[in-house]
Amino acid sequence: VQPVWVRIKAPAGTAPGDYSGTITVTASNAPATRLALNVRVWGFEVPKETHLRTAMSLYDHFLKNAYGETTEAMRAKYEDFVLAYRINPDNIYRTSPPPLESVLRWNKQGLNAFALVCIHKPAGLKAGNPFPADQKAAILAKLDAVVPKLKANGLYSKAYVYGFDEIGPESYAAMKDVFGAIKAKYPDLMIMTTGRDHTYGEESGIDAVDAWCPLTPHYDLERVRKARERGKQVWWYVCIEPKTPFANWLIEYDAIDARMLMGLQTAKYEPDGFLYYAMMRWPLTKKPITDGPYTDWPPASFLDCNGDGSIICAGPDGPLATIRLENIRDGIEDYEYFWLLKQEA
């Protein structure tokens, strides 16, 4: 038994109603099989813009594993591909701002958020120590070089700084130091972290963080309310955690989990955005997929977390979607249905 995913798109302006057609399946060793296809188009259109902000990283350096080299043309294919799935072609770990011409191209295709630079925990940092002055100056210099260009092109409000990935209290002093320096110079530039403070800044006292991003099980509605009263955003994320019964999109999990996570759950609990660390982490890949339905693509990514960080595969001429990615886009579009409903309230 071989499942096949069929995508049907109703172009903008399609009249509502029921449409029918036929799918014909042919094989060299059996008669053709015809299946009835029935599609219902509703009397509203999904907004062209996407209202759920995402921070999901394209690990484009893995393109070399599949294709032998990383070209700008192939990188652009992957960026445009995820934009078609209503996901920003982001990289929360980038060490320098993306090229302005790339951001302008993304913006024409629906970009709603992008990382400027990642601030990593300094090597050898001791608890209570400030951020190294030379590294802080280098980060500010990078921002000084790009912020005027972003403002001139109307992109500044979509930019953010990400940093201190999943750190604990030992890094709070350094976070206060460098984030405070950024805020002093650019008070309206969003700063986001997955740093661990389950009170979203109340206990750590790191007021310079604008957007706290906990794992979904640590998204506490009462604390979220208090954080928003202080003017903060609270996003959420998944990675190798959480495990079932929480929704995630590891390969062995029910495919509907991905759609529920991005659609119904997001609409119900209202995080300010969704973060995921990698979309194309291919540690075992040596070549692209060139035939099917059975392939030799290596899906293992981390211990018992198959598919972690990998929701896109490499095709012969560019990216291929997994069924999980199809469900992710369906979920994001489900979220748009709820957004439309709110506009009618």
Side-chain angles (χ1 to χ4, degrees):
V1 176
Q2 173 60 47
V4 176
W5 187 279
V6 179
R7 287 184 294 208
I8 308 290
K9 181 176 178 61
T14 300
D18 293 336
Y19 294 80
S20 61
T22 302
I23 296 176
T24 303
V25 182
T26 61
S28 60
N29 61 347
T33 298
R34 290 177 175 81
L35 306 173
L37 174 67
N38 298 294
V39 176
R40 174 163 294 178
V41 176
W42 298 100
F44 65 91
E45 294 182 2
V46 178
K48 184 178 180 181
E49 65 274 15
T50 298
H51 297 93
L52 176 63
R53 289 176 295 171
T54 59
M56 298 171 65
S57 297
L58 277 176
Y59 276 12
D60 52 11
H61 57 282
F62 277 106
L63 292 173
K64 186 176 181 180
N65 289 28
Y67 303 106
E69 61 178 340
T70 301
T71 65
E72 288 303 317
M74 186 61 76
R75 181 183 283 115
K77 277 189 177 183
Y78 277 77
E79 293 168 351
D80 295 346
F81 177 77
V82 298
L83 280 161
Y85 280 77
R86 296 178 172 265
I87 296 171
N88 296 315
D90 215 347
N91 188 342
I92 61 174
Y93 303 116
R94 60 171 52 106
T95 55
S96 296
L100 179 62
E101 58 271 21
S102 295
V103 182
L104 289 168
R105 192 182 83 252
W106 304 340
N107 197 52
K108 291 178 180 178
Q109 299 178 69
L111 179 79
N112 60 27
F114 67 100
L116 285 179
V117 65
C118 178
I119 301 177
H120 295 279
K121 174 184 175 181
L125 180 71
K126 294 181 180 179
N129 281 5
F131 200 82
D134 58 334
Q135 296 182 38
K136 180 168 58 179
I139 291 167
L140 290 172
K142 290 178 180 179
L143 296 177
D144 291 343
V146 72
V147 165
K149 298 176 184 177
L150 297 177
K151 289 183 175 180
N153 286 276
L155 299 167
Y156 182 64
S157 63
K158 299 182 179 182
Y160 65 91
V161 170
Y162 177 78
F164 288 88
D165 189 77
E166 297 184 323
I167 58 82
E170 75 284 349
S171 300
Y172 285 172
M175 287 177 70
K176 287 182 182 179
D177 181 22
V178 66
F179 287 168
I182 294 172
K183 274 294 171 193
K185 199 162 192 180
Y186 300 107
D188 51 353
L189 177 60
M190 189 174 87
I191 296 175
M192 179 164 58
T193 185
T194 51
R196 293 189 172 121
D197 175 356
H198 297 325
T199 65
Y200 317 135
E202 195 169 16
E203 288 184 1
S204 62
I206 307 176
D207 192 55
V209 172
D210 301 289
W212 293 88
C213 189
L215 280 166
T216 52
H218 300 302
Y219 185 87
D220 182 278
L221 288 173
E222 180 59 24
R223 288 175 175 172
V224 168
R225 182 187 64 79
K226 291 181 179 179
R228 289 177 177 154
E229 287 177 351
R230 304 196 316 271
K232 305 302 179 185
Q233 297 180 28
V234 185
W235 294 39
W236 66 11
Y237 78 106
V238 297
C239 53
I240 60 172
E241 295 178 41
K243 297 294 195 299
T244 185
F246 293 96
N248 205 325
W249 51 54
L250 305 179
I251 288 175
E252 291 84 0
Y253 281 37
D254 292 341
I256 195 64
D257 275 18
R259 182 169 184 172
M260 295 285 286
L261 176 60
M262 303 306 293
L264 294 177
Q265 285 189 204
T266 299
K268 179 176 180 178
Y269 295 108
E270 299 182 323
D272 292 295
F274 182 89
L275 180 145
Y276 190 62
Y277 82 103
M279 288 185 279
M280 42 187 283
R281 182 177 177 271
W282 304 329
L284 304 179
T285 295
K286 304 295 183 184
K287 59 182 180 179
I289 295 173
T290 55
D291 59 9
Y294 296 110
T295 77
D296 54 3
W297 179 263
S301 54
F302 183 76
L303 299 180
D304 62 345
C305 301
N306 294 320
D308 171 61
S310 182
I311 55 175
I312 301 172
C313 298
D317 302 308
L320 296 175
T322 60
I323 288 178
R324 291 171 296 137
L325 182 59
E326 297 290 354
N327 274 279
I328 288 167
R329 176 166 62 179
D330 280 352
I332 294 173
E333 292 186 344
D334 290 344
Y335 179 86
E336 292 298 326
Y337 297 164
F338 285 98
W339 184 88
L340 285 171
L341 188 61
K342 284 184 178 179
Q343 309 314 302
E344 297 294 325

